Amino acid sequence: MAQQIQQLPPGAPRTAGDVPRAKANTFSALLHRSPRLRLAGLLTAPALWLVLVYIAALAALLVTAFWTVDTFTGQVSTEWTTENIVTVLTDPVYQRITLRTLWIAVAVTLIDMVLALPIAFFIAKVAPARWEKLLVVAVLMPLWASYLVKAYAWRNVLAEGGLLEWLGAPIGLSSPGYGETAVILTLSYIWLPYMILPIYAGFDRVPDSLLEASGDLGAKPLTTMRLVMLPLLVPSIIAGTIFTFSLSLGDYITAQIVGGTTQMLGTVVYANVGAANNLPFAAAVSLVPIAIIMFYLFIVRRTGALNNL
Amino acid sequence: MAPRTKASLVIGAVAAAALALAGCGTSGGGGSSPSAQPAKTEIGAGEGQLSILGWPGYVEDGSNDPAVDWVHPFEQETGCKVSFKPFGTSDEAVTLMRTGQYDVISASGDASLRLVAGQDVQPVNMSLLKNYPDIYPFLKDKAWNTVDGVNYGMPHGWGANLLMYSTDKVTPAPTSWNAVFDDAAKNTGKVTAYDSPIYIADAGVYLMAHKPELGIKNPYALDKDQLAAAVDLLKQQRTHVGEYWSDVVKEVQAFTSGSTVVGTTWQVGANLAEANGAKVAAFLPSEGATGWSDTWMIGSKTKNPNCAYKWLDYIASPKVNAQVAEYFGESPANAKACGQTKDPKHCETYHSGDEAYAEKIWYWTTPVAACLDGRKDVKCTDYSEWTKAWTEIKG
């Protein structure tokens, strides 16, 4: 502590009589005596942050959903109404959009799971140790490019006469064009690293000796995979799905760039905030993905996956 | 701490925060009567500063392109130092203007009436602006810049939403919006449309010509039945639409690659596509079209009214109006600007002085419950209903 260091003039003789003594600091003494006070002091700042910035923002959203907007001047009127929520839940359009968004999120998650498992397995267990770090870096590499750049790159790949069509032509495949399929493809690409990393970490934690023991006991590789590895990996896989699922659920940029006419919950929120200035309705729509992801987290809580995030 | 107590703590905190917030709720919407503030009677000496809210490309000081600078000459001429804040959408503009921090704003027709109703802008005494007499008459005293006979600002530039098609893929050449409505099936999957609720007005323009029995007099004044007819038409169109666009660059790319062959565009999009080598043509269909017209307005809480007036006059002066119109890609509002453009054909390309052409354009106006066409016996649908309808159309 700065105030306790006493400056001596250079060359001043140090005699036993004027050895600098720490002044009694009553505050630090108090903290020293009371562990509870110490803890409170440490936790106040982060707790305030959590409550004010995070929880209060969410609560504000929740409350806004029960308000309405003066559609002409765009000013929010704070009269309570459940109209927005009722519309979102009962109007067939929003039900369809919710189902479509769910389907896209589930498809992206499944595709990433299928792609990530062998890649993560290869990096963690097959590749030589000196390659391991390099491969992890390679997986992370796409994250260094902006999300928008990647989405626009896919726009070009999927375009008429684009890369996909050129590649598919010899085997009679054509590009899916812009639409739901394009959104699923693009999102799967963009979120893949978020699935590979937790699964890789999971594989890395399985000791090699366990696999050797399984082999020694006569298990074939696939059996080892199924009965030894997979059960140990389940929490890691679920950790990965939380990323891909929740990120897809809230996405609106990809849907706008390659979605063609596809609407997702995110684009509806965006349209109501950006174009219509109807914040209360946007808030009501955004409660849907929040509810879905809460429900999902509640289900997977018991698997221990949350400790793997 | 056990997970259970932690969870209940969080829930408690949320509840407490929600209650606190609910407590702040004071009831009441916005006032919707026009500002009662009187207009200025003379322009005094400049206050030395001016903060501007505008579309990107409207206020250039040479930092984006050294050759494009009309802010520094203004500062030298008037001594008003400019600070500029760009906005991306009309709604962002309305929200920012409400803070009262800005002296002037370039508002499009879908924002200007909301600014007037929210008392965020003040009446402008047009007789103080010496460039006002040179503005094309067909831009003056319109629904989006004049309320109850009171002027709210300086017209600045305008453009139409045209129909563009690929000349080699769409034959015979279309002459009507038919190409994207009743004939859309001919190019199914390759039709495009502007992605905004305001596009419903395009269907309104089409129905006005082809289904007179609906009685649409103004595409921004649709009652429930008329809106339903427009929604039906757009839902039919939806099955043939490959992509909706809101970003003109994306639209140009789709036309260039061939993913899109027919649909709405702006003149600037057509120019870009042609520059990219795409074989396209853009024209104003026989039914007319929707379009946009921008107005420079003055904030109601401005502390620099003299600089604000000076800016309104300066930005509409022939030379500057020409510079902005060319840089931004639009028709200038000042008739004399056409003699000052670098490209002598600029005004011809954009049909600037063509009154007959301009008369076919229904400029973007915010749809409101009080019918804009003057009907008193019905209630019209407002913009939030249009937004919900647009979501429903896209499905």
Side-chain angles (χ1 to χ4, degrees):
Chain A
M1 276 178 207
Q3 72 268 30
Q4 292 176 358
I5 299 165
Q6 290 186 354
Q7 291 284 327
L8 285 175
R14 284 168 176 270
T15 58
D18 54 82
V19 164
R21 277 181 166 277
K23 272 189 227 153
N25 185 327
T26 44
F27 182 61
S28 53
L30 181 71
L31 281 184
H32 179 72
R33 276 196 307 274
S34 157
R36 274 172 175 277
L37 206 62
R38 217 158 58 216
L39 190 69
L42 279 173
L43 286 183
T44 307
L48 265 182
W49 169 262
L50 189 74
V51 170
L52 281 183
V53 176
Y54 193 73
I55 296 178
L58 266 181
L61 192 74
L62 198 83
V63 171
T64 313
F66 290 98
W67 288 344
T68 50
V69 76
D70 179 325
T71 48
F72 191 54
T73 60
Q75 275 151 352
V76 173
S77 130
T78 49
E79 273 166 58
W80 295 96
T81 167
T82 51
E83 197 191 314
N84 291 325
I85 312 259
V86 170
T87 309
V88 169
L89 293 181
T90 56
D91 192 319
V93 179
Y94 300 106
Q95 291 172 350
R96 251 197 332 272
I97 294 173
T98 302
L99 285 180
R100 181 186 304 133
T101 309
L102 251 180
W103 147 245
I104 289 174
V106 168
V108 167
T109 302
L110 288 177
I111 290 174
D112 277 350
M113 213 176 349
V114 169
L115 289 176
L117 270 170
I119 296 175
F121 177 70
F122 180 84
I123 298 176
K125 292 291 170 214
V126 181
R130 64 204 158 93
W131 286 105
E132 207 175 306
K133 288 279 170 296
L134 266 179
L135 286 170
V136 171
V137 170
V139 166
L140 285 174
M141 195 92 89
L143 296 181
W144 297 350
S146 146
Y147 178 115
L148 276 177
V149 172
K150 286 181 278 189
Y152 271 107
W154 270 95
R155 190 175 158 83
N156 283 327
V157 168
L158 291 159
E160 190 144 312
L163 186 68
L164 212 62
E165 195 155 281
W166 180 76
L167 283 175
I171 46 171
L173 288 175
S174 64
S175 162
Y178 305 134
E180 213 170 285
T181 322
V183 174
I184 294 175
L185 268 177
T186 309
L187 285 179
S188 304
Y189 165 80
I190 292 177
W191 304 142
L192 186 59
Y194 295 94
M195 182 66 99
I196 294 179
L197 284 179
I199 299 186
Y200 157 75
F203 269 120
D204 212 34
R205 258 176 298 187
V206 178
D208 288 342
S209 54
L210 213 62
L211 307 185
E212 282 159 19
S214 170
D216 289 346
L217 292 169
K220 295 202 172 77
L222 272 182
T223 318
T224 308
M225 192 76 171
R226 192 164 51 88
L227 295 177
V228 180
M229 300 276 257
L230 221 49
L232 288 168
L233 274 176
V234 165
S236 309
I237 295 175
I238 291 177
T241 63
I242 291 172
F243 285 126
T244 57
F245 183 72
S246 63
L247 289 171
S248 309
L249 212 56
D251 184 82
Y252 72 99
I253 304 173
T254 296
Q256 281 187 336
I257 294 176
V258 299
T261 58
T262 311
Q263 288 193 103
M264 291 173 71
L265 288 168
T267 57
V268 174
V269 171
Y270 176 79
N272 276 288
V273 174
N277 211 12
N278 193 343
L279 214 57
F281 190 73
V285 175
S286 68
L287 288 178
V288 176
I290 292 179
I292 294 175
I293 203 71
M294 290 274 205
F295 180 68
Y296 185 61
L297 288 179
F298 183 77
I299 293 177
V300 301
R301 192 171 57 119
R302 291 173 185 283
T303 63
L306 300 183
N307 304 330
N308 276 278
L309 286 178
Chain B
M1 210 183 275
R4 194 166 298 264
T5 34
K6 217 193 288 179
S8 60
L9 253 182
V10 169
I11 292 168
V14 172
L19 275 175
L21 274 164
C24 325
T26 48
S27 201
S32 51
S33 64
S35 165
Q37 212 169 332
K40 252 174 106 68
T41 50
E42 59 176 347
I43 305 178
E47 293 85 354
Q49 57 188 337
L50 181 70
S51 69
I52 302 178
L53 195 59
W55 287 106
Y58 267 11
V59 183
E60 292 293 317
D61 60 1
S63 50
N64 290 324
D65 178 353
V68 180
D69 178 6
W70 49 85
V71 167
H72 284 121
F74 172 74
E75 292 178 336
Q76 277 153 19
E77 199 178 292
T78 62
C80 301
K81 192 152 174 16
V82 167
S83 59
F84 172 52
K85 163 100 182 155
F87 56 79
T89 64
S90 285
D91 295 286
E92 198 186 331
V94 173
T95 311
L96 284 171
M97 198 62 194
R98 192 162 295 138
T99 64
Q101 290 170 16
Y102 303 94
D103 300 322
V104 292
I105 177 176
S106 69
S108 293
D110 51 340
S112 55
L113 286 186
R114 280 186 271 166
L115 290 171
V116 173
Q119 304 194 0
D120 300 314
V121 290
Q122 57 170 292
V124 176
N125 183 351
M126 303 312 281
S127 62
L128 296 177
L129 304 173
K130 60 179 191 298
N131 284 304
Y132 189 64
D134 296 332
I135 301 293
Y136 288 116
F138 60 83
L139 297 174
K140 292 180 181 174
D141 304 324
K142 295 297 173 186
W144 59 90
N145 58 29
T146 307
V147 177
D148 298 337
V150 180
N151 266 304
Y152 278 88
M154 178 67 105
H156 176 250
W158 57 277
N161 300 319
L162 303 172
L163 179 59
M164 178 150 81
Y165 63 99
S166 301
T167 47
D168 50 346
K169 287 175 190 136
V170 182
T171 49
T175 58
S176 136
W177 285 113
N178 229 340
V180 292
F181 292 115
D182 289 332
D183 280 352
K186 287 186 192 163
N187 296 296
T188 187
K190 301 201 167 192
V191 176
T192 194
Y194 185 57
D195 188 3
S196 163
I198 208 77
Y199 183 70
I200 291 172
D202 287 53
V205 169
Y206 182 77
L207 290 173
M208 216 159 38
H210 295 263
K211 287 219 175 123
E213 66 272 21
L214 286 166
I216 299 177
K217 294 278 175 286
N218 179 328
Y220 301 99
L222 304 179
D223 59 37
K224 281 237 154 20
D225 298 336
Q226 292 165 341
L227 181 70
V231 167
D232 276 349
L233 181 66
L234 290 168
K235 276 186 176 164
Q236 235 172 64
Q237 182 196 46
R238 159 75 179 77
T239 55
H240 306 297
V241 169
E243 182 176 40
Y244 291 104
W245 69 274
S246 54
D247 172 352
V248 73
V249 177
K250 246 168 69 185
E251 186 230 12
V252 167
Q253 189 227 349
F255 265 101
T256 312
S257 74
S259 306
T260 296
V261 298
V262 65
T264 359
T265 188
W266 296 329
Q267 184 65 50
V268 64
N271 296 352
L272 282 173
E274 273 175 8
N276 279 2
K279 290 194 186 95
V280 295
F283 67 102
L284 186 77
S286 54
E287 297 92 348
T290 56
W292 41 273
S293 179
D294 292 347
T295 310
W296 278 101
M297 299 180 140
I298 300 178
S300 52
K301 299 187 193 86
T302 178
K303 291 194 180 67
N304 308 303
N306 294 323
C307 277
Y309 267 83
K310 283 173 199 278
W311 173 262
L312 255 61
D313 210 17
Y314 174 80
I315 198 75
S317 62
K319 186 159 168 255
V320 180
N321 200 204
Q323 278 177 296
V324 181
E326 260 191 314
Y327 182 70
F328 189 80
E330 64 180 358
S331 273
N334 190 324
K336 288 184 180 159
C338 288
Q340 306 265 355
T341 50
K342 265 187 247 153
D343 172 9
K345 286 171 106 182
H346 179 86
C347 282
E348 202 182 310
T349 313
Y350 285 84
H351 297 268
S352 301
D354 191 342
E355 193 159 339
Y357 181 92
E359 252 169 25
K360 289 181 168 175
I361 299 171
W362 291 95
Y363 295 100
W364 281 349
T365 315
T366 316
V368 289
C371 295
L372 291 162
D373 58 2
R375 281 181 292 172
K376 300 274 181 234
D377 49 335
V378 286
K379 220 174 148 237
C380 280
T381 50
D382 65 23
Y383 197 62
S384 77
E385 283 170 83
W386 283 37
T387 310
K388 285 187 183 150
W390 186 241
T391 305
E392 195 191 318
I393 289 160
K394 287 168 77 188

